[in-house]
Amino acid sequence: MSRPAKHSLTLHGHRTSVSLEPEFWKAFQDIASARGLPLNALAAEIDNARGVDRGLASAIRVYVLDYYRG
């Protein structure tokens, strides 16, 4: 895997960034496309479901993993 890179997202009207490896970022984009969702909408869905002990980037990685294990 490659090194993580920062990516900007807008969640609930606020800009934020997450650092994800290119492979996870691409899979995240592919899932959003397959679900017919804008990337920010999927990120908000994941953000709303994550616990306070998990960062957004980690939550996205776990979501991607669960999606493909599914």
Side-chain angles (χ1 to χ4, degrees), residues 1 3 6-10 15 22 24 26-28 31-32 38 40 42-44 47 51 56-59 63 67 70:
M1 271 199 194
R3 296 186 70 147
K6 285 197 176 202
H7 302 276
S8 295
L9 295 167
T10 300
R15 297 289 288 169
F24 276 106
K26 175 70 170 107
F28 181 49
I31 293 167
N40 289 328
L42 180 55
D47 184 51
L56 181 57
S58 293
Y63 180 88
Y67 181 89

Side-chain angles (χ1 to χ4, degrees), residues 5 7 11-12 14 17-20 29-30 32 34 37 41 43-44 47 49-50 57 61 64 67 69-70:
H7 302 276
L11 298 176
H12 314 294
H14 299 281
S17 64
V18 293
S19 293
L20 290 172
Q29 291 175 310
D30 291 347
L37 293 172
D47 184 51
R50 73 183 168 107
R61 285 186 194 93
V64 167
Y67 181 89
R69 280 186 172 170

Side-chain angles (χ1 to χ4, degrees), residues 17 30 39 53 57 65:
S17 64
D30 291 347
L39 200 58
D53 294 333
L65 182 62

